[in-house]
Amino acid sequence: MSETKVYPVDTEFASQSWVDNDTYLSMYEKSITDPEGFWGEHGRRIEWMKPYTRVKNTSFDPHNVDIRWYEDGTLNASVSCLDRHLESRGDQVAIIWEGDDPSEDENITYRDLYERVCKFANALKAQGAKKGDVITLYMPMIPEAAVAMLACARIGAVHSIVFGGFSPDALAARVEGGQSNIVITADQSLRGGKAVPLKDNVDLALKNAGTECCKKVVVVKRTGGDIAWDDSRDVWYEEIVADASTECAPEEMGAEDPLFILYTSGSTGQPKGLKHTTGGYMVYASMTHQYAFDYKDGDIYWCTADVGWVTGHSYIVYGPLANGATSLMFEGVPSYPDNSRFGRVIEKHKVNQFYTAPTAIRALMQQGEDVLGDSDLSTLKVLGSVGEPINPEAWEWYHRIIGQGRCPIVDTWWQTETGGMMIMPLPGATAAKPGSATRPFFGVQPALVDNEGNILEGATDGNLVITDSWPGQGRSIWGDHDRFVQTYFSTFKGYYTTGDGARRDEDGYYWITGRVDDVINVSGHRMGTAEVESALVAHPKVAEAAVVGYPHDIKGQGIYVYVTLQAGIEESDELLKELRTWVRSEIGPIATPDLVQFAPGLPKTRSGKIMRRILRKVAEDDFGSLGDTSTLADPTVVDDLINNRQNRK
Ligand code: WTA
């Protein structure tokens, strides 16, 4: 089995890295035995206005979940990312922007970025924005996305970014959820040469949802494409920043004041807005970025995520910029203009650290070993993976083809809820095993529990929990703290429940096995099966729907849908297509079902509960092991499901 394969740390790499194995072990030990001392010291890596005196004040007790770090300190996140670099590295490039079209790029220095952020912060204030407001961003991957995030932070507004691939309905729900008074968008975004109508989607979202809260829409001109305009509401970004001052005093924020909301999918109900606060998040994002990538001054670092996901927040913007890094921001897709694009960008900008998702690696892998052409990859030093388990074959390919057998790979396990990386190798310290996220970061105490919540020792499988708080942890669900407690702290009392299953091996390494709840992970994007189901039952011809994940060669998991039609509705290929398009337009392209099966009946218990276990097995084409079906209200539905299964191998 490939899991026995070990890639030891390169001694030369270890000798120049921030931490080697001995340092890791002693720092980890200190972080657990003396969290106050450890985080008290490392908290000073960011800029504070008023220094903190209290470090950790956290409780996972389900009757009183309360998480505070550095609670009496004050700061502004944008100061750590901008102001403090002006003197030492004002002329250094902060953001390298690489456009969708390879002929478009831009270098933005720390001084440029500072001025753009201040200008926009002033412009937002002139539009009525103030401390505590929630501002929704629905943006392409252009520098203005980072400018807008930091401008919000500067004035103490809370940003809520909605991924630009989400539908108008999904956007509307998030604008309403945050009671956002301003939406920042662009006329269109560009991906793979195709325009996506962002502003049209905003118009639809604001009209359909009857969102009274939103008074202003700020529009960045990206493509110059045709858009509708509402004079009473819409303003051009370029016009409002034109005469704004390049200085804007940063708002003084409490460490526990919110920095952003980010919606993410759970196993039940609609997506929830995770609330992240300022002090602990900034400390944790910057520290993990430095150590996981062994980031050194002058390195060029590239994370391929979108700012609409947490990876973009922590590892394109806040972490790298707090560290004074040069962070590359890519507007396009790996397959445009052709499949060698990643290699071309690495070569063009001399990238040193590269952070991407297993789904992208598997897609490249399918194109063959020469997919990156003759791109010069010799600048690469560390490779990262995030978003879903990386299968050992993809790991080996990543190591051999992109890393040229030379670069350590950091497989980083974490979640929107955790704010930053939790379990990952440190490249100078941790021997890698392909497919394992390896060991916890400083201050992180993972444990495995059985279904009753008992801690399991030694090499074993179990539910992955974290037994104590770390600074980057999400503090609540926006407007619904009870749901936060219910979702994360009530299943296994006293612990943070991750929703993932994992195995721990004899070396204490963690192997994430995937979600244990009804969340599926499609190309590294989290999706609640309940969300897709509720989109389907909103279709007039659908009576009932059940959604499960199934193994997919490139996406990791695909979306498998079972639908029961309303009485009298005929099954047809057109209707299949229509349902796929329907989900796509209700949620967004990432939710498009891969396989749809018409099911006249779903397997239910006598009390009416759908038995997903059976649906998963059929979707996996593994119906030999269905287990006990005798408790079903109507066991005969299973034969029909099997006969009409869509994933025949
Ligand atoms: C999965 C993305 C295995 C996991 C940062 C988690 C992973 C969910 C890994 C969070 C990894 C993320 N190995 N699984 N390295 N990284 N996951 O909130 O199931 O979009 O719970 O955060 O992705 O997804 P989210």
Side-chain angles (χ1 to χ4, degrees):
M1 251 171 94
S2 51
E3 68 190 63
T4 50
K5 194 154 180 183
V6 179
Y7 286 77
V9 175
D10 181 82
T11 43
E12 210 173 307
F13 191 101
S15 69
Q16 57 77 57
S17 65
W18 287 112
V19 283
D20 60 12
N21 193 44
D22 290 344
T23 321
Y24 166 79
L25 292 173
S26 65
M27 284 176 78
Y28 184 75
E29 168 83 15
K30 160 126 177 144
S31 75
I32 302 306
T33 52
D34 178 19
E36 297 271 339
F38 183 88
W39 291 112
E41 175 192 340
H42 290 284
R44 288 191 283 275
R45 59 181 295 117
I46 60 166
E47 289 282 311
W48 295 87
M49 291 173 171
K50 180 166 139 287
Y52 48 84
T53 63
R54 291 200 73 169
V55 176
K56 180 175 189 284
N57 181 10
T58 66
S59 161
F60 282 5
D61 173 354
H63 301 294
N64 174 38
V65 173
D66 193 6
I67 301 157
R68 298 161 196 251
W69 286 88
Y70 310 111
E71 60 184 308
D72 61 347
T74 66
L75 74 167
N76 186 292
S78 75
V79 171
S80 282
C81 294
L82 302 168
D83 307 52
R84 72 154 156 181
H85 302 311
L86 290 183
E87 208 173 308
S88 56
R89 55 176 101 241
D91 295 325
Q92 182 200 308
V93 176
I95 295 179
I96 299 176
W97 177 71
E98 167 78 12
D100 184 54
D101 187 311
S103 68
E104 283 195 88
D105 57 23
E106 193 184 359
N107 281 347
I108 300 163
T109 64
Y110 272 97
R111 182 162 298 102
D112 291 340
L113 188 61
Y114 170 85
E115 291 184 357
R116 289 197 202 187
V117 168
C118 286
K119 276 169 103 62
F120 192 36
N122 285 320
L124 281 173
K125 285 204 267 192
Q127 296 299 317
K130 55 184 190 318
K131 181 173 177 172
D133 286 355
V134 176
I135 297 185
T136 300
L137 274 58
Y138 184 64
M139 301 281 283
M141 283 290 287
I142 53 177
E144 288 76 7
V147 169
M149 291 165 78
L150 292 164
C152 288
R154 190 110 186 141
I155 64 173
V158 182
H159 59 70
S160 168
I161 309 191
V162 180
F163 172 57
F166 276 130
S167 68
D169 283 351
L171 171 61
R174 288 155 175 78
V175 170
E176 276 221 306
Q179 284 297 299
S180 230
N181 52 350
I182 298 181
V183 174
I184 306 171
T185 189
D187 48 2
Q188 298 178 320
S189 67
L190 269 186
R191 281 172 61 79
K194 288 197 219 74
V196 182
L198 294 185
K199 171 63 163 62
D200 289 354
N201 287 349
V202 171
D203 292 344
L204 282 171
L206 297 185
K207 188 162 94 205
N208 288 355
T211 34
E212 297 294 305
C213 55
C214 179
K215 304 288 185 239
K216 282 279 179 247
V217 177
V218 179
V219 188
V220 178
K221 188 172 265 173
R222 169 63 189 104
T223 63
D226 266 351
I227 52 170
W229 199 259
D230 175 349
D231 271 327
S232 68
R233 188 196 68 187
D234 303 340
V235 291
W236 283 110
Y237 169 89
E238 290 74 8
E239 286 177 13
I240 60 170
V241 298
D243 297 323
S245 160
T246 55
E247 292 295 333
C248 173
E251 199 70 39
E252 181 169 0
M253 307 299 287
E256 287 299 338
D257 282 340
L259 179 61
F260 65 86
I261 308 174
L262 186 57
Y263 282 82
T264 191
S265 298
S267 50
T268 54
Q270 290 302 308
K272 38 193 188 282
L274 255 294
K275 174 177 122 176
H276 280 281
T277 58
T278 310
Y281 171 82
M282 289 299 294
V283 169
Y284 199 75
S286 68
M287 188 160 173
T288 45
H289 171 262
Q290 176 189 331
Y291 286 90
F293 294 107
D294 199 50
Y295 187 87
K296 303 273 174 46
D297 259 356
D299 285 347
I300 311 287
Y301 158 86
W302 180 18
C303 165
T304 69
D306 190 284
V307 290
W309 309 115
V310 73
T311 309
H313 286 63
S314 302
Y315 300 114
I316 294 177
V317 179
Y318 289 113
L321 297 183
N323 291 339
T326 298
S327 179
L328 193 152
M329 186 177 201
F330 177 44
E331 184 184 34
V333 296
S335 54
Y336 180 81
D338 62 47
N339 287 311
S340 69
R341 188 67 189 277
F342 274 178
R344 302 293 169 209
V345 176
I346 291 168
E347 171 178 278
K348 175 174 170 190
H349 298 291
K350 303 191 167 38
V351 171
N352 301 117
Q353 292 95 0
F354 178 65
Y355 192 26
T356 195
T359 188
I361 297 161
R362 289 191 296 262
L364 291 178
M365 199 170 143
Q366 263 210 342
Q367 306 293 324
E369 302 207 338
D370 54 358
V371 57
L372 300 183
D374 58 1
S375 311
D376 178 1
L377 307 176
S378 61
T379 50
L380 288 173
K381 296 197 283 196
V382 178
L383 304 176
S385 172
V386 61
E388 46 174 323
I390 181 165
N391 47 310
E393 300 71 32
W395 194 104
E396 299 279 0
W397 192 91
Y398 195 21
H399 187 254
R400 194 159 49 84
I401 304 299
I402 301 192
Q404 307 140 81
R406 182 171 58 71
C407 303
I409 294 184
V410 290
D411 174 6
T412 64
W413 174 84
W414 59 293
Q415 311 179 297
T416 304
E417 293 85 344
T418 69
M421 302 166 185
M422 298 288 281
I423 302 183
M424 77 285 201
L426 302 185
T430 317
K433 299 186 190 182
S436 171
T438 77
R439 307 188 290 193
F441 189 65
F442 307 130
V444 174
Q445 301 186 60
L448 299 176
V449 297
D450 64 17
N451 289 339
E452 280 68 54
N454 303 306
I455 297 263
L456 303 168
E457 304 290 345
T460 181
D461 274 308
N463 300 293
L464 180 64
V465 300
I466 312 291
T467 63
D468 198 359
S469 185
W470 62 98
Q473 181 170 25
R475 305 299 200 248
S476 193
I477 290 173
W478 194 255
D480 198 348
H481 194 64
D482 285 347
R483 192 175 172 202
F484 182 67
V485 176
Q486 199 55 38
T487 309
Y488 302 108
F489 298 93
S490 65
T491 320
F492 305 120
K493 298 205 174 14
Y495 308 131
Y496 165 76
T497 301
T498 65
D500 280 312
R503 184 164 67 78
R504 188 173 45 223
D505 69 17
E506 44 302 326
D507 294 324
Y509 275 34
Y510 286 86
W511 300 71
I512 310 299
T513 47
R515 302 289 303 194
V516 291
D517 54 12
D518 290 323
V519 171
I520 52 183
N521 193 324
V522 183
S523 301
H525 302 317
R526 255 167 90 163
M527 199 118 30
T529 51
E531 279 166 74
V532 184
E533 286 162 6
S534 82
L536 282 160
V537 295
H539 189 285
K541 292 180 181 161
V542 173
E544 202 170 13
V547 173
V548 295
Y550 72 100
H552 186 287
D553 283 348
I554 293 184
K555 299 177 174 184
Q557 281 189 298
I559 302 177
Y560 194 113
V561 169
Y562 297 89
V563 255
T564 309
L565 298 174
Q566 299 278 9
I569 304 288
E570 290 278 317
E571 296 176 3
S572 69
D573 286 347
E574 279 80 80
L575 184 52
L576 274 185
K577 260 194 232 133
E578 186 179 321
L579 293 175
R580 298 182 76 228
T581 316
W582 174 267
V583 176
R584 193 184 160 90
S585 66
E586 289 277 302
I587 305 176
I590 56 170
T592 311
D594 295 282
L595 297 172
V596 183
Q597 174 172 355
F598 290 122
L602 292 170
K604 290 185 187 161
T605 59
R606 289 190 194 103
S607 61
K609 198 167 164 340
I610 294 178
M611 289 186 74
R612 288 170 180 281
R613 179 175 53 82
I614 294 176
L615 295 176
R616 275 190 216 110
K617 288 285 177 196
V618 173
E620 286 165 15
D621 198 23
D622 180 21
F623 47 88
S625 56
L626 281 185
D628 185 11
T629 56
S630 63
T631 56
L632 290 177
D634 175 8
T636 63
V637 298
V638 175
D639 292 334
D640 178 79
L641 289 175
I642 292 174
N643 291 335
N644 294 303
R645 70 190 187 281
Q646 299 292 304
N647 181 28
R648 287 164 204 262
K649 287 181 195 134

